[in-house]
Amino acid sequence: MKVSSALLALLPLAAAMPTAPPYGGQQITDPVRLAELKAMHADVLDKLNNGVVIPVEKDTFKNLKSDPTAKRNFVIAGLAGMALLEAAYEGVDILATLAARLHDVFTQSNFNIWDNTGYCRTYFQTHSGGEEKIQTFARGSSSVTASTQGNTGWNDPKNSDPPVLFFENESSVGLYSVQFTATDGVAWDGIEGTKKCYIEGLCNPQYVFYRKGYNIVLNTWQSQGDSTSCWYSSGEDCKGLCDSGVKDQFADNGVVWGGKCAIPCLGDEGDGYTTVPKESPKIMVAGDSISHGMESDWTWRYRLSQWFDKNAYKTQFVGPFGGTHGPQPLTVSQPRAPLFPGEAAPKIDESTGLYAGGVNPSFASSGHASWWGRQAAQTKETIHAWVAEHQPDYLLLLLGFNDLGWFVSGPEGLIGNMGAIVEYAREAKSDIKILVGNVVDRTEISGRQDLIDNTAKYNEMLRNKIPNWFRWESPIAYVDVNANYNCRPGGCPDGYDGLHPNAMGEYHIAEAFARVLKSSFGFTGIDFQVPDSVEARTVGVPSGVQTLSMPEGLFTTWTRDGNARGYDIRSRIKGMTSWWSEGPVYPATWGSWSTWVLDGQEWEYQVRTRGDDGSSDWSGIVSAVAHPKTAPGPSYITSVPKGSDSIEISWHPVTGYDVNRYSVIVWDKDDAGAFINMQAASGTSFTATGLKSGHRYGTWVATNVNMQGSISAQAEAPGGLPSPGREVIVGGGMPSKPTGLSVTNIDATTVSLSWSSAANAVGYAIYVISDVDNSINLDGNTTDTTWSIAFLFPGTWHHQFCVAAYNGNLETDHNTCVTPPKVDKRDETSVNSTVTVDAPEKLFDDSTFQMLYKLWSQNVTLFSTGY
């Protein structure tokens, strides 16, 4: 460091100014604020240690040139122990009039300056290596206006830095820090010229007063004054601003040491200095939900704006949208029919959500170009108009997840769309500066290895492509957000749902952009600071939970929690011992429907709230009996493979209801991450296309009837419980016949069948031919190669048993049948009876249907909400 005893204090007197009210001060302990302040303090020490010292007489200040980025320490002849440091991160250059005024003020006292009530003052004290006491006195007051006492100490002085204490809310002094720099055994080497204590304990504090555009540093041990010199020089040469020494050498447990100094008051500098503002850029952030944020989020956009503010860049965030993504109304949960091609979806008014309560009002009213679910393919079509209207100086892009996640485009297509966004933005503003963020990872979704692979491929392609997009008049840079954002397929600490940023994630995204703004675009100042910890949203158990029987089915609702990240719901038919279905509520609102229910069924529900760090406890159980007015699914459903990628599905019409359309459901059972494909049909047949050859698909058909929506109060067409069709192997055609059929008598009226599997068969139909009446009956279907049949009266040998293989409704003949041998009466055993269940009820015992219900009712597809 180049600061020595020649450092001069620049402290104002301005005794004629009004006395500041003693509002008191307090030590700063908030970890987020401390992280920022520690960065500011480190910047001060860097300037002290590495800046250029300018020892000047008062009259030479007027010849200094403005340079807001220089590391300059101004030293004025006549005062010792203090330095005036230009704070480049505040963007203000202190010029001649300010320095001259401060010099004049502090060389006009004819009394001990540290006791003069015409100045603001401080008192500091330690006792035996700790028990620090810090007091301040407002100008004009002989009483303490703020006092803090602690016992921070300095642990392991030989191997650690002394702690820094920060204080604010003292209206006469402002923001300042205190750092005791020495013990009797160690003089800290982080500041040149520190001296060991001559007493046992802790001593020699350094004060830093943080101002807009500059900082004032007071090394108390270098600014020890002399009363006699001050008196005889009429204040021209007091030798220093402080008076320190032993206060009680006989105190218990060690010496009490302390001192007092004159210090700067807020407002003493007046307006006698020149402000040289930094660049005041307009910023546009174009992104998706990661940048939009949900209600009560701070957003990474705001965290970046705070960094700009700390570095004195008066930014303006611009764009066509405002706020965050607001809560979705209950009407989005209204059960509706799938749409026909070209049919418009009901309009749902999107609401603008509020930011977190602590967001600066000026930012809360700013704009941006990010929206929930936005794709690069969409932004490509609008970016020219946005840039032309708002004329941003910087365009920050964070797009692409939805393109890859929703199969809008692959890596190559996404690169093309991002290149188009860059080109169209430059057409609207030729000198725009562009930062392109890559795509972040998310926690792994079963069956979506493609998303992991495509994200990595695209990010590598983007990194390599950015240099080709560079223009001198419109520079562009790659931002590796993914590396800084702690979210991976194996876990996502930075996200509240496996993707979207929580409060810590917001900091990490903003840090990635701030880092590139400094390294590639010339922004100066302190580095972006990420706190060690942040406060997560607090959520409670849902209240007001109730389930209501409606014409569409059962509707469960509860009181909305403003901090909720979403909700989970689970359900079961009353009497079940385990929950039949459990998952996130979708759409993400405070209500959930169950429309696949039967009249007279009583269902039970529980709800819990999802937060940043897990979920609340489950609510109490609520229940209701279903009395739906929806229609049953159609009968006689046939499903036939067609070509290499299609299934033809047909059914009989449903009568006795005001049918609006049918919903055809096709689900790929061989793809763990497959979506449910639900499409509208106006007649009694439908061809599902674009399917994967060789994959097994389940098929169902539901009936949609006209009625008024219970929530929307508009004409709707909800569907009821679907009817299943046979499964189909796409492209499989007619299966081969099963072979090796054998029958074994279990007793006189029970048999067990077995056979060899058949190629391209999704299942087998078991037929029974009775020689009593020559009837042929279908006993059942199975995907296994074994089957048991009981109650075969008058005996098993009076029946033939046949097995056919099927692929959908393509079924082999069953003309190869087997009759078991006659059972001697002495070999007969009794057979327990069984209870049959109505056909629709059997669906709720079907594991395939249970999974289908979960995926449909809570829409656990790629995401739990739109992105």
Side-chain angles (χ1 to χ4, degrees), residues 318-349:
V318 298
F321 310 126
T324 61
H325 190 248
Q328 298 187 85
L330 274 179
T331 51
V332 301
S333 70
Q334 173 66 50
R336 295 186 168 98
L339 301 174
F340 291 111
E343 185 179 14
K347 188 178 186 315
I348 302 295
D349 292 331

PDB file of all heavy atoms in Angstrom, residues 318-349:
ATOM      1  N   VAL A 318     -36.235  -2.282 -20.385  1.00  0.00           N
ATOM      2  CA  VAL A 318     -37.332  -1.973 -21.300  1.00  0.00           C
ATOM      3  C   VAL A 318     -37.854  -3.241 -21.956  1.00  0.00           C
ATOM      4  O   VAL A 318     -37.178  -4.268 -21.999  1.00  0.00           O
ATOM      5  CB  VAL A 318     -36.868  -0.978 -22.388  1.00  0.00           C
ATOM      6  CG1 VAL A 318     -36.428   0.335 -21.767  1.00  0.00           C
ATOM      7  CG2 VAL A 318     -35.732  -1.576 -23.225  1.00  0.00           C
ATOM      8  N   GLY A 319     -39.069  -3.148 -22.490  1.00  0.00           N
ATOM      9  CA  GLY A 319     -39.675  -4.259 -23.195  1.00  0.00           C
ATOM     10  C   GLY A 319     -41.183  -4.151 -23.203  1.00  0.00           C
ATOM     11  O   GLY A 319     -41.764  -3.275 -22.549  1.00  0.00           O
ATOM     12  N   PRO A 320     -41.846  -5.059 -23.914  1.00  0.00           N
ATOM     13  CA  PRO A 320     -43.305  -4.971 -24.065  1.00  0.00           C
ATOM     14  C   PRO A 320     -44.094  -5.462 -22.862  1.00  0.00           C
ATOM     15  O   PRO A 320     -45.299  -5.212 -22.777  1.00  0.00           O
ATOM     16  CB  PRO A 320     -43.568  -5.872 -25.278  1.00  0.00           C
ATOM     17  CG  PRO A 320     -42.468  -6.889 -25.222  1.00  0.00           C
ATOM     18  CD  PRO A 320     -41.265  -6.147 -24.705  1.00  0.00           C
ATOM     19  N   PHE A 321     -43.462  -6.187 -21.932  1.00  0.00           N
ATOM     20  CA  PHE A 321     -44.169  -6.760 -20.800  1.00  0.00           C
ATOM     21  C   PHE A 321     -43.704  -6.106 -19.506  1.00  0.00           C
ATOM     22  O   PHE A 321     -42.678  -5.439 -19.457  1.00  0.00           O
ATOM     23  CB  PHE A 321     -43.936  -8.268 -20.721  1.00  0.00           C
ATOM     24  CG  PHE A 321     -44.173  -8.994 -22.004  1.00  0.00           C
ATOM     25  CD1 PHE A 321     -43.192  -9.815 -22.559  1.00  0.00           C
ATOM     26  CD2 PHE A 321     -45.381  -8.857 -22.684  1.00  0.00           C
ATOM     27  CE1 PHE A 321     -43.403 -10.480 -23.748  1.00  0.00           C
ATOM     28  CE2 PHE A 321     -45.600  -9.525 -23.880  1.00  0.00           C
ATOM     29  CZ  PHE A 321     -44.606 -10.338 -24.422  1.00  0.00           C
ATOM     30  N   GLY A 322     -44.472  -6.343 -18.447  1.00  0.00           N
ATOM     31  CA  GLY A 322     -44.116  -5.838 -17.131  1.00  0.00           C
ATOM     32  C   GLY A 322     -44.400  -6.879 -16.068  1.00  0.00           C
ATOM     33  O   GLY A 322     -45.180  -7.815 -16.273  1.00  0.00           O
ATOM     34  N   GLY A 323     -43.767  -6.728 -14.919  1.00  0.00           N
ATOM     35  CA  GLY A 323     -44.047  -7.581 -13.780  1.00  0.00           C
ATOM     36  C   GLY A 323     -43.600  -9.022 -13.976  1.00  0.00           C
ATOM     37  O   GLY A 323     -42.738  -9.340 -14.792  1.00  0.00           O
ATOM     38  N   THR A 324     -44.217  -9.898 -13.199  1.00  0.00           N
ATOM     39  CA  THR A 324     -43.942 -11.332 -13.259  1.00  0.00           C
ATOM     40  C   THR A 324     -45.172 -12.053 -13.804  1.00  0.00           C
ATOM     41  O   THR A 324     -46.169 -11.427 -14.160  1.00  0.00           O
ATOM     42  CB  THR A 324     -43.610 -11.870 -11.857  1.00  0.00           C
ATOM     43  OG1 THR A 324     -44.750 -11.657 -10.994  1.00  0.00           O
ATOM     44  CG2 THR A 324     -42.398 -11.157 -11.255  1.00  0.00           C
ATOM     45  N   HIS A 325     -45.087 -13.371 -13.847  1.00  0.00           N
ATOM     46  CA  HIS A 325     -46.234 -14.160 -14.297  1.00  0.00           C
ATOM     47  C   HIS A 325     -47.219 -14.280 -13.149  1.00  0.00           C
ATOM     48  O   HIS A 325     -46.909 -14.872 -12.113  1.00  0.00           O
ATOM     49  CB  HIS A 325     -45.775 -15.544 -14.740  1.00  0.00           C
ATOM     50  CG  HIS A 325     -46.835 -16.337 -15.429  1.00  0.00           C
ATOM     51  ND1 HIS A 325     -47.405 -17.465 -14.874  1.00  0.00           N
ATOM     52  CD2 HIS A 325     -47.447 -16.167 -16.619  1.00  0.00           C
ATOM     53  CE1 HIS A 325     -48.313 -17.952 -15.687  1.00  0.00           C
ATOM     54  NE2 HIS A 325     -48.355 -17.185 -16.766  1.00  0.00           N
ATOM     55  N   GLY A 326     -48.398 -13.723 -13.324  1.00  0.00           N
ATOM     56  CA  GLY A 326     -49.378 -13.686 -12.253  1.00  0.00           C
ATOM     57  C   GLY A 326     -50.057 -15.029 -12.039  1.00  0.00           C
ATOM     58  O   GLY A 326     -49.935 -15.952 -12.851  1.00  0.00           O
ATOM     59  N   PRO A 327     -50.786 -15.143 -10.942  1.00  0.00           N
ATOM     60  CA  PRO A 327     -51.492 -16.403 -10.662  1.00  0.00           C
ATOM     61  C   PRO A 327     -52.573 -16.665 -11.700  1.00  0.00           C
ATOM     62  O   PRO A 327     -53.255 -15.748 -12.149  1.00  0.00           O
ATOM     63  CB  PRO A 327     -52.092 -16.160  -9.269  1.00  0.00           C
ATOM     64  CG  PRO A 327     -52.214 -14.671  -9.170  1.00  0.00           C
ATOM     65  CD  PRO A 327     -51.051 -14.112  -9.923  1.00  0.00           C
ATOM     66  N   GLN A 328     -52.700 -17.926 -12.068  1.00  0.00           N
ATOM     67  CA  GLN A 328     -53.737 -18.293 -13.026  1.00  0.00           C
ATOM     68  C   GLN A 328     -55.085 -18.385 -12.318  1.00  0.00           C
ATOM     69  O   GLN A 328     -55.168 -18.932 -11.220  1.00  0.00           O
ATOM     70  CB  GLN A 328     -53.400 -19.627 -13.690  1.00  0.00           C
ATOM     71  CG  GLN A 328     -52.103 -19.602 -14.484  1.00  0.00           C
ATOM     72  CD  GLN A 328     -51.894 -20.872 -15.271  1.00  0.00           C
ATOM     73  OE1 GLN A 328     -52.395 -21.022 -16.383  1.00  0.00           O
ATOM     74  NE2 GLN A 328     -51.156 -21.801 -14.695  1.00  0.00           N
ATOM     75  N   PRO A 329     -56.143 -17.900 -12.937  1.00  0.00           N
ATOM     76  CA  PRO A 329     -57.465 -17.949 -12.284  1.00  0.00           C
ATOM     77  C   PRO A 329     -57.994 -19.370 -12.232  1.00  0.00           C
ATOM     78  O   PRO A 329     -57.530 -20.266 -12.962  1.00  0.00           O
ATOM     79  CB  PRO A 329     -58.325 -17.056 -13.186  1.00  0.00           C
ATOM     80  CG  PRO A 329     -57.677 -17.165 -14.539  1.00  0.00           C
ATOM     81  CD  PRO A 329     -56.203 -17.273 -14.267  1.00  0.00           C
ATOM     82  N   LEU A 330     -58.990 -19.579 -11.396  1.00  0.00           N
ATOM     83  CA  LEU A 330     -59.598 -20.907 -11.281  1.00  0.00           C
ATOM     84  C   LEU A 330     -60.205 -21.376 -12.592  1.00  0.00           C
ATOM     85  O   LEU A 330     -60.330 -22.581 -12.834  1.00  0.00           O
ATOM     86  CB  LEU A 330     -60.677 -20.892 -10.197  1.00  0.00           C
ATOM     87  CG  LEU A 330     -60.234 -21.132  -8.757  1.00  0.00           C
ATOM     88  CD1 LEU A 330     -61.425 -21.052  -7.825  1.00  0.00           C
ATOM     89  CD2 LEU A 330     -59.538 -22.478  -8.610  1.00  0.00           C
ATOM     90  N   THR A 331     -60.578 -20.446 -13.456  1.00  0.00           N
ATOM     91  CA  THR A 331     -61.224 -20.836 -14.714  1.00  0.00           C
ATOM     92  C   THR A 331     -60.318 -21.685 -15.596  1.00  0.00           C
ATOM     93  O   THR A 331     -60.812 -22.419 -16.456  1.00  0.00           O
ATOM     94  CB  THR A 331     -61.672 -19.592 -15.493  1.00  0.00           C
ATOM     95  OG1 THR A 331     -60.570 -18.679 -15.600  1.00  0.00           O
ATOM     96  CG2 THR A 331     -62.832 -18.903 -14.796  1.00  0.00           C
ATOM     97  N   VAL A 332     -58.976 -21.621 -15.392  1.00  0.00           N
ATOM     98  CA  VAL A 332     -58.096 -22.445 -16.231  1.00  0.00           C
ATOM     99  C   VAL A 332     -58.266 -23.930 -15.903  1.00  0.00           C
ATOM    100  O   VAL A 332     -57.887 -24.784 -16.698  1.00  0.00           O
ATOM    101  CB  VAL A 332     -56.615 -22.046 -16.073  1.00  0.00           C
ATOM    102  CG1 VAL A 332     -56.403 -20.593 -16.433  1.00  0.00           C
ATOM    103  CG2 VAL A 332     -56.097 -22.333 -14.672  1.00  0.00           C
ATOM    104  N   SER A 333     -58.829 -24.231 -14.735  1.00  0.00           N
ATOM    105  CA  SER A 333     -59.015 -25.640 -14.360  1.00  0.00           C
ATOM    106  C   SER A 333     -60.306 -26.214 -14.922  1.00  0.00           C
ATOM    107  O   SER A 333     -60.537 -27.430 -14.825  1.00  0.00           O
ATOM    108  CB  SER A 333     -59.024 -25.782 -12.828  1.00  0.00           C
ATOM    109  OG  SER A 333     -60.203 -25.215 -12.270  1.00  0.00           O
ATOM    110  N   GLN A 334     -61.160 -25.383 -15.492  1.00  0.00           N
ATOM    111  CA  GLN A 334     -62.444 -25.847 -16.007  1.00  0.00           C
ATOM    112  C   GLN A 334     -62.259 -27.016 -16.985  1.00  0.00           C
ATOM    113  O   GLN A 334     -61.520 -26.908 -17.960  1.00  0.00           O
ATOM    114  CB  GLN A 334     -63.160 -24.705 -16.731  1.00  0.00           C
ATOM    115  CG  GLN A 334     -64.435 -25.099 -17.465  1.00  0.00           C
ATOM    116  CD  GLN A 334     -65.544 -25.551 -16.529  1.00  0.00           C
ATOM    117  OE1 GLN A 334     -65.862 -24.865 -15.565  1.00  0.00           O
ATOM    118  NE2 GLN A 334     -66.129 -26.705 -16.811  1.00  0.00           N
ATOM    119  N   PRO A 335     -62.896 -28.171 -16.733  1.00  0.00           N
ATOM    120  CA  PRO A 335     -62.776 -29.293 -17.678  1.00  0.00           C
ATOM    121  C   PRO A 335     -63.336 -28.909 -19.043  1.00  0.00           C
ATOM    122  O   PRO A 335     -64.443 -28.370 -19.155  1.00  0.00           O
ATOM    123  CB  PRO A 335     -63.612 -30.390 -17.026  1.00  0.00           C
ATOM    124  CG  PRO A 335     -63.653 -30.038 -15.568  1.00  0.00           C
ATOM    125  CD  PRO A 335     -63.663 -28.548 -15.531  1.00  0.00           C
ATOM    126  N   ARG A 336     -62.541 -29.183 -20.076  1.00  0.00           N
ATOM    127  CA  ARG A 336     -62.924 -28.819 -21.434  1.00  0.00           C
ATOM    128  C   ARG A 336     -62.585 -29.966 -22.383  1.00  0.00           C
ATOM    129  O   ARG A 336     -61.789 -30.843 -22.067  1.00  0.00           O
ATOM    130  CB  ARG A 336     -62.207 -27.543 -21.878  1.00  0.00           C
ATOM    131  CG  ARG A 336     -62.606 -26.312 -21.080  1.00  0.00           C
ATOM    132  CD  ARG A 336     -61.972 -25.053 -21.645  1.00  0.00           C
ATOM    133  NE  ARG A 336     -62.574 -23.869 -21.053  1.00  0.00           N
ATOM    134  CZ  ARG A 336     -62.063 -23.182 -20.048  1.00  0.00           C
ATOM    135  NH1 ARG A 336     -60.912 -23.569 -19.511  1.00  0.00           N
ATOM    136  NH2 ARG A 336     -62.673 -22.121 -19.563  1.00  0.00           N
ATOM    137  N   ALA A 337     -63.168 -29.898 -23.557  1.00  0.00           N
ATOM    138  CA  ALA A 337     -62.912 -30.898 -24.584  1.00  0.00           C
ATOM    139  C   ALA A 337     -61.642 -30.551 -25.343  1.00  0.00           C
ATOM    140  O   ALA A 337     -61.262 -29.379 -25.437  1.00  0.00           O
ATOM    141  CB  ALA A 337     -64.091 -30.950 -25.551  1.00  0.00           C
ATOM    142  N   PRO A 338     -60.953 -31.557 -25.918  1.00  0.00           N
ATOM    143  CA  PRO A 338     -59.843 -31.251 -26.815  1.00  0.00           C
ATOM    144  C   PRO A 338     -60.356 -30.495 -28.033  1.00  0.00           C
ATOM    145  O   PRO A 338     -61.526 -30.625 -28.412  1.00  0.00           O
ATOM    146  CB  PRO A 338     -59.284 -32.625 -27.173  1.00  0.00           C
ATOM    147  CG  PRO A 338     -60.417 -33.565 -26.978  1.00  0.00           C
ATOM    148  CD  PRO A 338     -61.208 -33.007 -25.833  1.00  0.00           C
ATOM    149  N   LEU A 339     -59.491 -29.721 -28.644  1.00  0.00           N
ATOM    150  CA  LEU A 339     -59.902 -28.850 -29.746  1.00  0.00           C
ATOM    151  C   LEU A 339     -59.750 -29.548 -31.088  1.00  0.00           C
ATOM    152  O   LEU A 339     -58.840 -30.376 -31.288  1.00  0.00           O
ATOM    153  CB  LEU A 339     -59.071 -27.569 -29.737  1.00  0.00           C
ATOM    154  CG  LEU A 339     -59.143 -26.717 -28.460  1.00  0.00           C
ATOM    155  CD1 LEU A 339     -58.160 -25.555 -28.551  1.00  0.00           C
ATOM    156  CD2 LEU A 339     -60.558 -26.217 -28.222  1.00  0.00           C
ATOM    157  N   PHE A 340     -60.627 -29.186 -32.023  1.00  0.00           N
ATOM    158  CA  PHE A 340     -60.463 -29.600 -33.407  1.00  0.00           C
ATOM    159  C   PHE A 340     -59.375 -28.745 -34.056  1.00  0.00           C
ATOM    160  O   PHE A 340     -59.095 -27.626 -33.595  1.00  0.00           O
ATOM    161  CB  PHE A 340     -61.773 -29.431 -34.180  1.00  0.00           C
ATOM    162  CG  PHE A 340     -62.861 -30.389 -33.777  1.00  0.00           C
ATOM    163  CD1 PHE A 340     -63.989 -29.934 -33.118  1.00  0.00           C
ATOM    164  CD2 PHE A 340     -62.744 -31.743 -34.063  1.00  0.00           C
ATOM    165  CE1 PHE A 340     -64.998 -30.811 -32.741  1.00  0.00           C
ATOM    166  CE2 PHE A 340     -63.746 -32.632 -33.695  1.00  0.00           C
ATOM    167  CZ  PHE A 340     -64.874 -32.169 -33.034  1.00  0.00           C
ATOM    168  N   PRO A 341     -58.728 -29.213 -35.093  1.00  0.00           N
ATOM    169  CA  PRO A 341     -57.750 -28.378 -35.798  1.00  0.00           C
ATOM    170  C   PRO A 341     -58.375 -27.061 -36.236  1.00  0.00           C
ATOM    171  O   PRO A 341     -59.469 -27.025 -36.807  1.00  0.00           O
ATOM    172  CB  PRO A 341     -57.358 -29.243 -37.009  1.00  0.00           C
ATOM    173  CG  PRO A 341     -57.604 -30.647 -36.561  1.00  0.00           C
ATOM    174  CD  PRO A 341     -58.807 -30.574 -35.675  1.00  0.00           C
ATOM    175  N   GLY A 342     -57.714 -25.968 -35.916  1.00  0.00           N
ATOM    176  CA  GLY A 342     -58.211 -24.643 -36.273  1.00  0.00           C
ATOM    177  C   GLY A 342     -59.192 -24.051 -35.290  1.00  0.00           C
ATOM    178  O   GLY A 342     -59.566 -22.877 -35.401  1.00  0.00           O
ATOM    179  N   GLU A 343     -59.640 -24.835 -34.314  1.00  0.00           N
ATOM    180  CA  GLU A 343     -60.592 -24.335 -33.327  1.00  0.00           C
ATOM    181  C   GLU A 343     -59.846 -23.522 -32.273  1.00  0.00           C
ATOM    182  O   GLU A 343     -58.805 -23.955 -31.754  1.00  0.00           O
ATOM    183  CB  GLU A 343     -61.328 -25.493 -32.677  1.00  0.00           C
ATOM    184  CG  GLU A 343     -62.427 -25.057 -31.704  1.00  0.00           C
ATOM    185  CD  GLU A 343     -63.155 -26.248 -31.102  1.00  0.00           C
ATOM    186  OE1 GLU A 343     -62.644 -27.386 -31.234  1.00  0.00           O
ATOM    187  OE2 GLU A 343     -64.225 -26.061 -30.509  1.00  0.00           O
ATOM    188  N   ALA A 344     -60.342 -22.351 -31.954  1.00  0.00           N
ATOM    189  CA  ALA A 344     -59.674 -21.460 -30.996  1.00  0.00           C
ATOM    190  C   ALA A 344     -59.978 -21.886 -29.567  1.00  0.00           C
ATOM    191  O   ALA A 344     -61.113 -22.233 -29.234  1.00  0.00           O
ATOM    192  CB  ALA A 344     -60.120 -20.015 -31.205  1.00  0.00           C
ATOM    193  N   ALA A 345     -58.950 -21.860 -28.737  1.00  0.00           N
ATOM    194  CA  ALA A 345     -59.129 -22.162 -27.319  1.00  0.00           C
ATOM    195  C   ALA A 345     -59.804 -20.992 -26.624  1.00  0.00           C
ATOM    196  O   ALA A 345     -59.675 -19.846 -27.051  1.00  0.00           O
ATOM    197  CB  ALA A 345     -57.778 -22.440 -26.674  1.00  0.00           C
ATOM    198  N   PRO A 346     -60.557 -21.264 -25.569  1.00  0.00           N
ATOM    199  CA  PRO A 346     -61.160 -20.155 -24.815  1.00  0.00           C
ATOM    200  C   PRO A 346     -60.089 -19.191 -24.326  1.00  0.00           C
ATOM    201  O   PRO A 346     -59.005 -19.609 -23.907  1.00  0.00           O
ATOM    202  CB  PRO A 346     -61.856 -20.859 -23.643  1.00  0.00           C
ATOM    203  CG  PRO A 346     -62.047 -22.268 -24.097  1.00  0.00           C
ATOM    204  CD  PRO A 346     -60.895 -22.576 -24.996  1.00  0.00           C
ATOM    205  N   LYS A 347     -60.368 -17.912 -24.398  1.00  0.00           N
ATOM    206  CA  LYS A 347     -59.384 -16.909 -23.984  1.00  0.00           C
ATOM    207  C   LYS A 347     -59.317 -16.844 -22.463  1.00  0.00           C
ATOM    208  O   LYS A 347     -60.326 -16.668 -21.796  1.00  0.00           O
ATOM    209  CB  LYS A 347     -59.750 -15.537 -24.555  1.00  0.00           C
ATOM    210  CG  LYS A 347     -58.673 -14.487 -24.316  1.00  0.00           C
ATOM    211  CD  LYS A 347     -59.057 -13.149 -24.940  1.00  0.00           C
ATOM    212  CE  LYS A 347     -57.931 -12.144 -24.837  1.00  0.00           C
ATOM    213  NZ  LYS A 347     -57.281 -12.065 -23.560  1.00  0.00           N
ATOM    214  N   ILE A 348     -58.113 -17.007 -21.947  1.00  0.00           N
ATOM    215  CA  ILE A 348     -57.864 -16.872 -20.513  1.00  0.00           C
ATOM    216  C   ILE A 348     -56.997 -15.638 -20.321  1.00  0.00           C
ATOM    217  O   ILE A 348     -55.886 -15.562 -20.848  1.00  0.00           O
ATOM    218  CB  ILE A 348     -57.143 -18.110 -19.936  1.00  0.00           C
ATOM    219  CG1 ILE A 348     -57.967 -19.375 -20.184  1.00  0.00           C
ATOM    220  CG2 ILE A 348     -56.870 -17.913 -18.451  1.00  0.00           C
ATOM    221  CD1 ILE A 348     -59.289 -19.423 -19.465  1.00  0.00           C
ATOM    222  N   ASP A 349     -57.504 -14.670 -19.624  1.00  0.00           N
ATOM    223  CA  ASP A 349     -56.742 -13.438 -19.410  1.00  0.00           C
ATOM    224  C   ASP A 349     -55.529 -13.727 -18.540  1.00  0.00           C
ATOM    225  O   ASP A 349     -55.651 -14.237 -17.419  1.00  0.00           O
ATOM    226  CB  ASP A 349     -57.614 -12.370 -18.747  1.00  0.00           C
ATOM    227  CG  ASP A 349     -58.726 -11.870 -19.677  1.00  0.00           C
ATOM    228  OD1 ASP A 349     -58.506 -11.908 -20.897  1.00  0.00           O
ATOM    229  OD2 ASP A 349     -59.786 -11.464 -19.174  1.00  0.00           O
TER     230      ASP A 349
END
